[in-house]
Amino acid sequence: MVSYVETTALRSPAMWFTANRLTTGLLLVILLILPFVAPRYWIYFAGLLGINIIATHGLNIMMGYTGLLSLGHAAFIGVGAYTAALAQIHLGLPFWIAIPLAGVMAAVIGVGFGLPSLRIRGLYLVIATLAAQFILNFVFVHWQSVTNGDVGLTVQPATIFGVSLNNETRIYYLILFAVVFMTWFVVNVIRSRVGRALIAVRERDLTAQVLGVEIVKYKLIAFALGSFYAGVAGGLLAYFNRFVNPEQFGLLLSVFFLSAVIVGGMGSTLGAILGAVFMTLLPELLREGALQVGDTFGFDIALILVPLRETVFGLLMVSFLILEPRGLAQLWKRAKQKFERR
Amino acid sequence: MNFFIEYSIVGIASGGIYALIALGIIVIFKSSKTFNFAMGEMMMLSAYFFYAATVTYSLGLVAGFCVALAGSIAIALLIERVAIRPMLGRPFIAVVMVTFGIGSIIRGVVGMVWGPNDLQIPAILSRSPVMLGDIFIPGKTARAFAIAVVIVVGLIAYLRYSRAGVALRAAAADAITAYSMGIDVRRIIAFTWIIAAITGCISGVLMANVNTLTPHLGMVALNVLAVVILGGMNSIGGVLIAGFIIGWLEAVTGLMLGTEYREITPYILALMVLLVRPTGLFGTKEIERI
């Protein structure tokens, strides 16, 4: 069996952070001062990007590091978003409790769906998560008394020390903090005993079992952790959009994160970040490109924008899987090696 | 009570098409352990081919169907050659994701070419209702059911008794041994994609006749996953009964709990099957517990 991630993936995320402390620090400084120099739309966009990065980390833990394919990621993000919104509306909890709570709730529900099929190899988990996607979305729409159906819920801005995070810039800093923390956490988890166990389960589960790694336990950990990330992303999304409705968490969003992990490079933390950035930028680029083309040839592109996006998502997934299963992270590494050799 | 029987019969009738779609999925799964998530989109694309042939180019119904069938087979072989064969020997989930991506491509391309609106294909099924005693069955559903069942039974018989069917089972049991015994496993895989294209084309045209034609027609195939799970992933014969059960359950929950519950019934059932009997009703024991 050909593994799609080389074993040095064990070391690469750590190396990426320690060997490049300077680059990382510089990047952080740039991100911190960004709101003072960049236009407001950019900041809004950066916030969205941060949330997508957190969610992609989650799917990458499941899919990239442990080899558990989930088609219900969007629904788990939805669970997080609804939990955060409901915790604020009914319990009046502040965001710094509501968002972790959103993560925990998503993890619990995710494990509930995953538990029966995590014990069996193969397609069953895929189907269970697909079922989760549809059943949870159904709950969001039809549990009127709690979720307010299609109309959704309105969320008040998060407040910290009496400051209301009510515009792009203020919530940007909250998201930036969350992204840095969650990225730091995933890098360290993967370096730890747990992370090595996850990779062992992905590579050769039976061998891992023989060597004393409890497969089911670690699959559960991966699934819980991945869903926790989805829930945190959802909680942030609730405060970011300040409304929650079922439409945000459809199957298309699950496919979006699937392609982000694949395009970025499965089993690479850098890849998850690159993939999330690329996939978030792509629809914007497509829209700009289509607008240009539409202007030149004089036809209305608004109609074909959504299917165009679906086509490009699919094309990227298929071609990366066939041609470069290690994704953008590998392309990046190769480019860097070439540059350093010179 | 009469109402209940009527709903049950209509449900079972719509299950016939599910069985047809499920057969396409299972045949490919048997030959190459590839789970084809693009089945619904292949089916939907065939229906659009039929629409283009009969409405846009105003061919006759038979000629139009032949064109649609040829088109679907060509597309299926293209998918197999370009996207699936390079993935041979790669991890299982990678192949699943490829088929998922292909589904997304087809959905997008169809959306760009034909637009998001409902289209009407020419009626090939008579609307006049069928009466069973004093039970009323809508004409299109009854006829679609009859066609689907005839084709499913025919294909099952063909796969059981023909040389190709035996070769398929040999390849499914042990691909390497089958290969060394002179069975061209690659051709068998291509052959199963052709079968899937045929069942997809027929079910697509029938489905578009009973409902209307939209790019989301293929989503029905996701309900069919429950059929595949219930019948057993490697049981060709199980699809028919599983299809009836799912169709019936959908109709009955729709009647008892409200139509909105129809859409999640198959998934809840699939979860229950996973919990209680992961092999499905008729699948052989190939479950790898760990």
Side-chain angles (χ1 to χ4, degrees):
Chain A
M1 192 117 96
V2 186
S3 153
Y4 48 84
V5 183
E6 54 184 29
T7 35
T8 53
L10 273 175
R11 280 164 45 209
S12 66
M15 278 166 55
W16 180 64
F17 264 79
T18 45
N20 295 320
R21 279 224 170 108
L22 192 68
T23 332
T24 314
L26 206 64
L27 188 68
L28 263 182
V29 172
I30 292 175
L31 287 175
L32 279 173
I33 58 173
L34 194 67
F36 297 101
V37 289
R40 283 182 67 175
Y41 180 70
W42 281 36
I43 301 307
Y44 166 82
F45 201 73
L48 195 65
L49 199 59
I51 292 172
N52 285 347
I53 288 177
I54 294 176
T56 311
H57 276 325
L59 192 59
N60 190 34
I61 294 172
M62 298 192 229
M63 217 170 92
Y65 285 114
T66 326
L68 306 171
L69 178 53
S70 166
L71 295 179
H73 210 58
F76 299 137
I77 296 173
V79 169
Y82 275 102
T83 307
L86 292 170
Q88 186 198 53
I89 294 169
H90 295 296
L91 305 174
L93 293 177
F95 78 91
W96 46 271
I97 298 179
I99 291 177
L101 187 70
V104 170
M105 193 64 161
V108 168
I109 290 186
V111 167
F113 273 102
L115 200 54
S117 48
L118 281 168
R119 301 178 50 219
I120 314 166
R121 225 192 269 169
L123 186 72
Y124 298 92
L125 181 67
V126 181
I127 290 173
T129 52
L130 192 68
Q133 170 71 46
F134 285 102
I135 293 172
L136 289 173
N137 217 295
F138 180 84
V139 173
F140 298 155
V141 175
H142 292 287
W143 199 10
Q144 287 280 349
S145 56
V146 174
T147 63
N148 204 12
D150 281 318
V151 183
L153 302 167
T154 313
V155 181
Q156 297 306 315
T159 22
I160 183 166
F161 305 127
V163 182
S164 167
L165 303 180
N166 56 0
N167 64 27
E168 301 83 350
T169 314
R170 289 175 180 172
I171 191 99
Y172 168 84
Y173 284 108
L174 172 66
I175 294 172
L176 181 62
F177 170 77
V179 169
V180 171
F181 178 77
M182 297 300 261
T183 305
W184 171 83
F185 188 75
V186 71
V187 166
N188 282 289
V189 164
I190 295 306
R191 277 163 67 189
S192 74
R193 184 187 166 79
V194 174
R196 291 197 301 272
L198 298 185
I199 294 174
V201 169
R202 178 196 68 201
E203 290 298 311
R204 279 292 163 96
D205 45 5
L206 289 179
T207 315
Q209 176 92 312
V210 169
L211 292 174
V213 176
E214 291 164 71
I215 305 182
V216 176
K217 179 179 140 193
Y218 281 102
K219 278 188 172 179
L220 273 180
I221 289 178
F223 208 72
L225 208 57
S227 308
F228 178 82
Y229 268 71
V232 169
L236 284 168
L237 196 66
Y239 283 106
F240 183 72
N241 285 334
R242 285 201 251 135
F243 71 88
V244 179
N245 74 350
E247 224 174 89
Q248 296 169 300
F249 310 109
L251 185 64
L252 191 62
L253 190 69
S254 284
V255 180
F256 173 89
F257 287 112
L258 209 61
S259 17
V261 171
I262 294 169
V263 168
M266 285 180 279
S268 155
T269 306
L270 171 64
I273 296 172
L274 290 177
V277 172
F278 184 81
M279 291 306 291
T280 314
L281 286 174
L282 188 70
E284 299 293 309
L285 295 177
L286 276 181
R287 199 181 59 203
E288 288 302 311
L291 275 175
Q292 294 286 333
V293 174
D295 277 351
T296 328
F297 296 99
F299 65 92
D300 188 21
I301 54 109
L303 270 179
I304 64 154
L305 211 54
V306 176
L308 178 68
R309 198 184 298 175
E310 273 193 306
T311 314
V312 174
F313 281 10
L315 273 177
L316 280 170
M317 272 168 80
V318 174
S319 36
F320 266 96
L321 278 165
I322 294 176
L323 302 173
E324 183 49 275
R326 288 173 212 153
L328 288 175
Q330 181 68 15
L331 294 181
W332 169 273
K333 214 185 222 168
R334 215 178 287 152
K336 214 168 94 179
Q337 278 167 357
K338 212 173 238 175
F339 183 74
E340 276 167 0
R341 220 174 283 145
R342 204 164 280 164
Chain B
M1 196 57 206
N2 235 354
F3 219 50
F4 181 80
I5 295 173
E6 221 168 88
Y7 261 80
S8 301
I9 291 179
V10 171
I12 292 173
S14 57
I17 298 185
Y18 287 177
L20 197 55
I21 305 169
L23 190 63
I25 295 177
I26 286 180
V27 167
I28 292 178
F29 183 76
K30 250 180 121 70
S31 75
S32 58
K33 298 277 171 285
T34 301
F35 196 90
N36 182 16
F37 266 98
M39 186 67 204
E41 277 70 25
M42 281 167 59
M43 172 190 114
M44 174 267 288
L45 182 64
S46 314
Y48 273 97
F49 282 157
F50 183 72
Y51 172 85
T54 50
V55 176
T56 318
Y57 296 102
S58 47
L59 295 173
L61 289 181
V62 177
F65 182 76
C66 292
V67 170
L69 194 61
S72 343
I73 291 177
I75 294 286
L77 288 176
L78 185 75
I79 293 172
E80 197 272 327
R81 187 70 194 83
V82 174
I84 305 299
R85 203 174 292 179
M87 300 298 289
L88 267 179
R90 292 272 290 280
F92 168 78
I93 63 163
V95 189
V96 169
M97 286 185 287
V98 166
T99 64
F100 211 77
I102 291 167
S104 185
I105 296 174
I106 297 180
R107 218 167 35 242
V109 170
V110 166
M112 285 194 287
V113 175
W114 282 284
N117 298 326
D118 287 22
L119 298 175
Q120 207 69 51
I121 67 169
I124 52 168
L125 302 170
S126 152
R127 292 183 73 94
S128 63
V130 176
M131 300 299 285
L132 268 182
D134 53 353
I135 294 163
F136 170 97
I137 311 170
K140 285 183 174 179
T141 313
R143 288 177 179 81
F145 169 76
I147 296 174
V149 169
V150 166
I151 289 169
V152 169
V153 171
L155 273 175
I156 290 175
Y158 175 69
L159 291 173
R160 176 147 299 172
Y161 299 113
S162 71
R163 278 183 74 86
V166 176
L168 166 63
R169 265 174 288 148
D174 187 342
I176 308 274
T177 311
Y179 201 71
S180 66
M181 300 296 278
I183 294 171
D184 191 342
V185 176
R186 286 191 185 169
R187 267 184 62 190
I188 294 293
I189 295 176
F191 164 75
T192 56
W193 279 83
I194 293 177
I195 300 255
I198 295 170
T199 67
C201 186
I202 297 166
S203 55
V205 172
L206 290 178
M207 203 69 139
N209 235 279
V210 178
N211 307 323
T212 52
L213 183 56
T214 71
H216 291 284
L217 190 69
M219 289 296 176
V220 181
L222 293 180
N223 297 1
V224 171
L225 285 177
V227 177
V228 175
I229 292 289
L230 182 66
M233 292 259 256
N234 46 17
S235 160
I236 290 181
V239 287
L240 203 57
I241 294 161
F244 294 160
I245 294 176
I246 300 276
W248 176 74
L249 264 179
E250 269 191 17
V252 171
T253 41
L255 175 70
M256 311 268 240
L257 301 172
T259 31
E260 70 269 21
Y261 283 91
R262 282 185 68 119
E263 48 189 286
I264 56 163
T265 312
Y267 296 103
I268 291 179
L269 189 74
L271 280 182
M272 273 157 42
V273 174
L274 289 183
L275 203 60
V276 180
R277 191 183 159 85
T279 43
L281 290 177
F282 307 100
T284 49
K285 199 166 181 163
E286 246 178 59
I287 297 289
E288 297 178 80
R289 266 187 198 287
I290 42 165

